[in-house]
RNA sequence: GGCCCGUUAGCUCAAUAGGUAGAGCAGCGGACUCUUAAUCCGCGGGUUGAAGGUUCGAGUCCUUCACGGGUCACCA
């Protein structure tokens, strides 16, 4: 058969086949001709790779010989060292690997030669006895092996792994096969989420799921994605936050409630933002935002200890300490102390607003509160490294929060900043239905002036408040960013398995 | 969306000043029964992201486009 005929016959997705791919397809055909099942249905295994390691890696060479342990382990071939009539190779799964020793005098000439039809990347099951090599590595002395799956494409280079960032995101499976650090990051994320659930479950919270598709997207200041329901003939929005639904549940008597789920915001993509991201929101009746700060400190310290066994963790150039108590500083003081602006700049509100306007391309007139928010974001946030609660921001940028009891222009709210990123946002929830309605109407007025991120009026939610929302503290924590902190990653795309990319 | 950078063999990267596109890994053939980036000998592998342009000659210079990374803007 000519190369061209082969290329036509083998219908791989990728149309131009390399020599290496044709060779792999030919080898696979030969396996077929030998009567081997080329797409087997199941494998009878005794251990996964990591189970062999966790159960037996502490046994010495002598102990292994004495115990004579047989295992049947599946894995992907990731490296091969052939020396005539003996071959060493490693099989791997996720982030664990184990060596296999294949000898012609053990498996027989025919089975040994069959190995020539296998390639790096193929998945096999190896049966044999555990032993230690001269250099002490735990190894399976193969007595037999079974073909489980063919890899028709060559894997990336063994030493450097897969470096191309775009390919790592588009073909995450290759990243996971080749780069152990990546597997470790996602394992840590999974454990982190499990620990968060345990933390809240142990404190009597119940986990719920609320609508992702909403008629009025609320609970945050952001632009939504729009979609359409055919049968009902209505516009729907992917949620920007679960907040208003969770508070309806507190009205209904769920006094401690949380949700871990996706939010969608129709905004830019960068190292700290993905259009869909995972958010933890929790609400506890009868507590205020000061008690939420205590709870937040507890949660983060618990996670640091459970995931890393210590109170301080490295993040880039820094060491972040979760030791309590964390710094608390008023929003306005943070701006005065850290923005680098001269004290005289704060004497005149109008000139401050004009200055803030120079920091943003926004053409609309800014309110005083919005101007302060911009100055905080641009000049202050990035300077904060250690966990810091920024408390009492302006009320007008906090339409769902109670006012501070002493300074009514301030909100009973905090934002948690770590490593220059906003990790959490929390407040004493506004429970007064009349005030809530007024705030919504003010937001609606802002929308009239062109602010697309202002909150929409949600009278159904106001009606829920009219039935009585107890005093409640509520908080949202960005799970992706939290995973960044705990896995020491600088880009949100490193902690999201399939970040949004333009289609190829 | 603006600006800067990148795109060369399956992968990781080279290619002085514009002058015949190379190496390592991977692959193929051979030697080799404790190797682990195995080693040794030999061989094949490319529309240099796409399309134009300048030039005797373009991976290299110019223009446009595509995708990605960084940064700024919006935002958590």
């Amino acid at each position: 058969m000519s190369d061209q005929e082969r290329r036509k016959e083998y219908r791989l997705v990728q149309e131009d086949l390399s020599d290496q791919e044709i060779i792999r397809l030919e080898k696979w055909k030969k396996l077929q001709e030998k009567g081997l099942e080329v797409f087997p249905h199941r494998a009878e295994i005794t251990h996964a790779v990591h189970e062999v390691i966790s159960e037996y890696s502490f046994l010495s060479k002598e102990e292994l010989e004495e115990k004579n342990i047989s295992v049947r382990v599946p894995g992907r071939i990731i490296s091969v060292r052939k020396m005539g009539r003996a071959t060493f190779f490693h099989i791997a799964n996720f982030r664990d690997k184990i060596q296999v020793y294949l000898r012609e005098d053990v498996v027989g000439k025919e089975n040994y030669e069959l190995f020539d039809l296998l390639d790096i990347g193929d998945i096999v099951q190896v049966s044999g006895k555990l032993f230690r090599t001269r250099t002490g590595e735990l190894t399976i002395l193969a007595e037999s092996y079974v073909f489980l799956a063919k890899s028709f494409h060559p894997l990336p280079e063994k030493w450097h792994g897969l470096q191309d960032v775009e390919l790592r995101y588009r073909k995450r499976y290759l990243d996971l096969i080749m780069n152990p650090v990546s597997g470790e990051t996602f394992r840590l994320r999974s454990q982190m989420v499990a620990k968060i659930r345990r933390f809240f479950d142990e404190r009597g919270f119940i986990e719920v799921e609320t609508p992702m598709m909403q008629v009025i997207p609320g609970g945050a200041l952001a632009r939504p994605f729009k979609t359409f329901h055919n049968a009902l003939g209505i516009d729907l929005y992917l949620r920007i936050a679960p907040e208003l639904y969770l508070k309806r549940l507190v009205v209904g008597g769920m006094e401690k409630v949380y949700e871990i789920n996706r939010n969608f915001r129709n905004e830019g993509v960068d190292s700290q933002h993905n259009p869909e991201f995972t958010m933890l929101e929790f609400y506890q009746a009868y507590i205020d935002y000061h008690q939420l700060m205590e709870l937040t400190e507890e949660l983060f310290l618990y996670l640091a200890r459970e995931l890393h066994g210590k109170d301080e963790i490295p993040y880039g150039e820094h060491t972040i300490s979760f030791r309590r108590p964390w710094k608390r500083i008023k929003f306005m003081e943070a701006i005065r102390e850290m923005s680098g602006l001269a004290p005289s700049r704060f004497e005149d509100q109008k000139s401050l607003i004009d200055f803030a306007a120079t920091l943003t391309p926004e053409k609309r007139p800014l309110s005083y509160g919005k101007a302060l928010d911009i100055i905080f974001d641009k000049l202050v946030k990035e300077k904060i490294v250690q966990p810091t609660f920024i408390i009492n921001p302006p009320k007008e940028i906090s339409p769902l929060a109670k006012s501070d009891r002493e300074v009514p222009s301030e909100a009973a709210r905090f934002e948690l900043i770590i490593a220059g990123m906003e990790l959490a946002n929390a407040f004493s929830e506004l429970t007064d239905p009349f005030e809530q309605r007024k705030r919504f109407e003010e937001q609606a007025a802002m929308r009239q002036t062109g602010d697309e991120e202002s909150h929409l009026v949600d009278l159904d939610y106001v009606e829920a408040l009219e039935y009585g929302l107890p005093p409640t503290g509520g908080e949202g924590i960005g799970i992706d960013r939290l995973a960044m902190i705990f896995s020491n990653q600088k880009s949100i795309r490193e902690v999201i398995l399939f970040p949004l990319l333009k289609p190829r």
Side-chain angles (χ1 to χ4, degrees):
Chain A
M1 216 187 318
S2 76
D3 267 14
Q4 256 187 351
E5 287 167 333
R6 286 198 184 97
R7 278 162 220 267
K8 272 193 187 142
E9 186 192 340
Y10 299 128
R11 296 184 63 237
L12 295 190
V13 169
Q14 172 196 325
E15 283 179 12
D16 290 323
L17 300 187
S18 67
D19 293 350
Q20 297 198 43
E21 283 152 346
I22 289 173
I23 287 163
R24 281 166 182 257
L25 286 155
E26 293 290 322
K27 285 180 176 177
W28 181 67
K29 269 198 119 174
K30 283 180 189 159
L31 288 171
Q32 243 171 324
E33 284 159 12
K34 285 182 181 294
L36 276 116
E37 210 178 345
V38 287
F39 288 113
H41 285 227
R42 58 187 290 175
E44 300 298 332
I45 66 174
T46 62
H47 298 77
V49 174
H50 72 274
E51 290 169 340
V52 176
I53 292 166
S54 61
E55 283 180 38
Y56 303 116
S57 64
F58 60 89
L59 292 177
S60 71
K61 193 179 176 94
E62 292 72 25
E63 285 168 324
L64 283 170
E65 267 170 40
E66 190 190 323
K67 289 183 190 280
N68 202 31
I69 300 155
S70 283
V71 293
R72 227 167 29 243
V73 186
R76 186 185 296 275
I77 300 171
I78 55 161
S79 65
V80 176
R81 293 167 296 283
K82 186 178 177 182
M83 296 157 302
R85 284 186 281 281
T87 299
F88 284 95
F89 60 97
H90 276 96
I91 57 174
N93 182 35
F94 200 21
R95 62 194 205 292
D96 301 297
K97 62 178 184 179
I98 188 162
Q99 184 168 251
V100 179
Y101 188 30
L102 186 70
R103 294 169 58 113
E104 190 187 274
D105 59 5
V106 177
V107 297
K109 192 159 194 252
E110 198 179 331
N111 279 330
Y112 189 76
E113 281 171 2
L114 191 68
F115 193 76
D116 286 337
L117 296 180
L118 299 185
D119 286 295
I120 290 173
D122 290 358
I123 298 172
V124 295
Q125 170 189 287
V126 174
S127 305
K129 297 273 195 304
L130 290 177
F131 77 107
R132 280 191 190 279
T133 62
R134 191 180 290 161
T135 53
E137 180 166 352
L138 184 66
T139 301
I140 303 171
L141 176 62
E143 286 157 1
S144 66
Y145 63 95
V146 178
F147 172 85
L148 295 179
K150 188 72 190 165
S151 176
F152 296 108
H153 301 289
L155 288 183
E157 202 239 6
K158 63 182 169 191
W159 191 241
H160 299 91
L162 184 64
Q163 298 289 321
D164 186 310
V165 175
E166 185 184 354
L167 277 181
R168 286 184 48 235
Y169 299 157
R170 286 190 195 278
K171 303 190 176 182
R172 183 66 88 179
Y173 47 93
L174 286 181
D175 182 39
L176 293 172
I177 291 168
M178 298 308 299
N179 302 327
V181 173
S182 190
E184 193 52 42
T185 298
F186 289 107
R187 187 193 61 90
L188 186 131
R189 179 180 172 137
S190 164
Q191 287 183 337
M192 184 188 86
V193 172
K195 299 289 181 193
I196 290 171
R197 287 204 161 92
R198 181 184 298 175
F199 180 89
F200 284 101
D201 293 345
E202 280 173 352
R203 282 164 178 72
F205 281 76
I206 70 165
E207 182 176 6
V208 297
E209 292 174 88
T210 61
M212 313 277 266
M213 301 170 87
Q214 304 180 347
V215 176
I216 299 172
L221 306 179
R223 281 200 293 269
F225 286 95
K226 193 176 180 179
T227 186
F228 181 74
H229 188 280
N230 289 342
L232 296 181
I234 53 169
D235 286 332
L236 287 172
Y237 298 87
L238 301 187
R239 77 179 190 190
I240 54 176
E243 168 144 358
L244 301 186
Y245 284 93
L246 291 171
K247 281 189 280 192
R248 284 176 172 96
L249 296 178
V250 180
V251 170
M254 292 189 184
E255 295 180 343
K256 293 177 172 181
V257 65
Y258 75 98
E259 175 166 8
I260 298 174
N261 225 325
R262 221 66 68 81
N263 289 346
F264 307 86
R265 298 191 184 173
N266 207 340
E267 279 146 8
V269 177
D270 64 30
S271 62
Q272 288 180 33
H273 302 262
N274 196 59
E276 52 176 316
F277 63 101
T278 304
M279 186 90 151
L280 159 68
E281 282 203 15
F282 60 94
Y283 292 81
Q284 180 170 344
Y286 314 120
I287 69 170
D288 67 6
Y289 75 118
H290 293 287
Q291 288 157 291
L292 280 177
M293 283 189 261
E294 307 276 324
L295 190 61
T296 305
E297 288 176 342
E298 267 179 60
L299 171 65
F300 280 53
L301 195 57
Y302 169 78
L303 292 176
R305 287 174 179 171
E306 290 288 315
L307 298 173
H308 292 290
K310 49 192 179 180
D311 300 352
E312 296 184 337
I313 60 166
Y315 187 72
E317 312 294 299
H318 305 291
T319 298
I320 292 175
S321 171
F322 294 107
R323 267 188 213 113
R324 305 174 65 182
W326 302 346
K327 192 175 174 189
R328 288 152 168 76
I329 179 168
K330 276 203 168 194
F331 181 86
M332 204 54 223
E333 283 169 31
I335 289 180
R336 284 179 193 277
E337 287 173 18
M338 301 177 74
S339 66
L341 298 177
S344 59
R345 305 290 300 250
F346 297 95
E347 286 164 12
D348 176 23
Q349 289 197 359
K350 185 171 180 314
S351 78
L352 203 63
I353 290 170
D354 291 342
F355 169 72
T358 65
L359 299 173
T360 167
E362 197 69 63
K363 289 286 178 285
R364 288 177 290 103
L366 296 170
S367 65
Y368 183 55
K370 190 86 180 167
L372 291 174
D373 198 32
I374 288 166
I375 292 169
F376 179 80
D377 270 2
K378 302 295 172 201
L379 302 179
V380 179
K381 194 157 75 178
E382 64 181 21
K383 294 175 185 162
I384 299 170
V385 175
Q386 297 302 324
T388 302
F389 293 113
I390 303 296
I391 62 174
N392 290 36
K395 184 179 85 173
E396 61 179 285
I397 56 171
S398 313
L400 300 162
K402 275 199 166 85
S403 298
D404 184 81
R405 266 179 295 193
E406 273 126 50
V407 190
S409 65
E410 295 176 358
R413 171 184 175 188
F414 69 80
E415 291 185 22
L416 170 62
I417 311 294
I418 303 176
M421 288 191 288
E422 187 180 330
L423 262 290
N425 180 20
F427 33 88
S428 299
E429 302 295 339
L430 180 58
T431 52
D432 174 346
F434 310 111
E435 173 69 13
Q436 182 65 74
R437 187 166 185 163
K438 197 175 130 217
R439 300 264 191 103
F440 277 156
E441 281 159 2
E442 283 164 7
Q443 289 282 319
M446 285 165 69
R447 182 164 281 264
Q448 290 300 312
T449 71
D451 185 348
E452 289 178 53
E453 286 163 12
S454 56
H455 208 291
L456 290 156
V457 179
D458 190 338
L459 289 179
D460 184 77
Y461 171 68
V462 174
E463 192 180 357
L465 292 189
E466 289 173 1
Y467 281 91
L469 174 64
T472 298
E475 178 163 348
I477 297 178
I479 292 296
D480 311 278
R481 289 183 181 175
L482 196 59
M484 287 168 69
I485 296 286
F486 282 115
S487 61
N488 195 8
Q489 291 289 351
K490 287 287 184 192
S491 170
I492 199 166
R493 293 187 206 93
E494 296 293 342
V495 300
I496 293 175
L497 282 165
F498 299 101
L500 184 71
L501 298 173
K502 277 198 193 179
R504 264 294 192 198

